[in-house]
Amino acid sequence: MHVQEWLDTVPAAAVYAVVGLVIGLESLGIPLPGEIILVSAALLSSQHAGINPFVLGAVASAGAVIGDSIGYAIGRKGGRPLLAWLGRKFPKHFSEGHIATAERSFEKWGMWAVFFGRFVALLRIFAGPLAGVLRMPYWKFLIANVFGGILWAGGTTAVIYYVGVVAESWLKRFSWLGLVLAVLIGLTSMLVIKRKAKQAQQAQGAQQEAEPVPAGD
């Protein structure tokens, strides 16, 4: 069967469900490749007559906003013990250094950290739970969450869909380029955050060593 014919057999509802679920779970705080899934689905919509890019963008936006809101509620209820538990379960993503870097971003930028965090791989995972743990007012979180989620999900869908339509004759090649680009962006973001997290952890350790030890009685 030709690739195009096979793609046309993929149910649109299944694509919407996978995109909404993966992005929602990632926004909730579970490390998943939400951006890669969204890019792949947007490319697919450019060559699949049954997948509506507007519906896809709306589903992705809803998954992002709802997932972040659930993550906020869990973080607000779980508090610091939740971060400690996540650090044990996902040490590569929720290490003390990563959390320290994210906390400084929240302290410096407030609700803007939630908004811009949507565009950074690791911060997408942190944003909801950490905003809840730090008890950011929900109305501030909601505004940043909604606008950030719509701009990221809707904007990514629109750009990738348009690229797929314009480059229809090179779609197969471009789909791979899109996936490779998404992976490279994700890896670059992770490396930058990892580097900053390592620096924060080292600075925190140096500060603790420099603190005077209280004399015993």
Side-chain angles (χ1 to χ4, degrees), residues 22-45:
V22 171
I23 291 178
L25 291 176
E26 182 192 38
S27 301
L28 188 151
I30 299 176
L32 290 174
E35 194 163 46
I36 294 176
I37 293 295
L38 180 58
V39 168
S40 302
L43 281 169
L44 180 59
S45 71

Side-chain angles (χ1 to χ4, degrees), residues 23-211:
I23 291 178
L25 291 176
E26 182 192 38
S27 301
L28 188 151
I30 299 176
L32 290 174
E35 194 163 46
I36 294 176
I37 293 295
L38 180 58
V39 168
S40 302
L43 281 169
L44 180 59
S45 71
S46 68
Q47 56 182 314
H48 191 310
I51 300 177
N52 189 314
F54 292 101
V55 175
L56 179 63
V59 169
S61 300
V65 173
I66 294 172
D68 251 4
S69 295
I70 295 175
Y72 174 91
I74 293 174
R76 192 174 181 89
K77 185 175 182 180
R80 293 285 176 178
L82 173 65
L83 295 181
W85 179 83
L86 288 172
R88 292 192 297 271
K89 292 293 183 181
F90 306 103
K92 292 184 178 180
H93 297 86
F94 290 92
S95 66
E96 291 183 4
H98 288 169
I99 293 174
T101 300
E103 281 186 320
R104 283 202 304 274
S105 298
F106 271 71
E107 290 172 359
K108 183 176 182 179
W109 301 105
M111 62 189 293
W112 290 107
V114 177
F115 179 85
F116 288 111
R118 173 56 60 183
F119 300 87
V120 180
L122 282 178
L123 287 182
R124 273 201 303 276
I125 303 172
F126 279 117
L130 189 57
V133 170
L134 298 179
R135 297 193 173 274
M136 174 183 290
Y138 182 68
W139 68 270
K140 288 186 177 181
F141 171 80
L142 183 62
I143 291 174
N145 180 26
V146 170
F147 282 99
I150 292 175
L151 184 60
W152 172 74
T156 299
T157 301
V159 170
I160 299 300
Y161 174 82
Y162 178 75
V163 166
V165 170
V166 171
E168 185 174 1
S169 60
W170 301 326
L171 189 57
K172 184 177 180 180
R173 183 190 306 175
F174 221 100
S175 65
W176 282 106
L177 288 176
L179 290 176
V180 170
L181 180 61
V183 171
L184 289 177
I185 292 174
L187 289 175
T188 302
S189 301
M190 290 178 64
L191 289 175
V192 171
I193 296 297
K194 186 176 181 179
R195 180 182 175 185
K196 291 184 178 180
K198 186 176 181 180
Q199 292 174 348
Q201 195 170 12
Q202 291 175 346
Q204 185 178 8
Q207 183 179 2
Q208 290 177 351
E209 291 178 0
E211 291 179 353

Side-chain angles (χ1 to χ4, degrees), residues 3-29:
V3 173
Q4 182 65 49
E5 295 175 354
W6 179 81
L7 290 174
D8 288 339
T9 66
V10 178
V15 176
Y16 299 147
V18 169
V19 169
L21 180 62
V22 171
I23 291 178
L25 291 176
E26 182 192 38
S27 301
L28 188 151

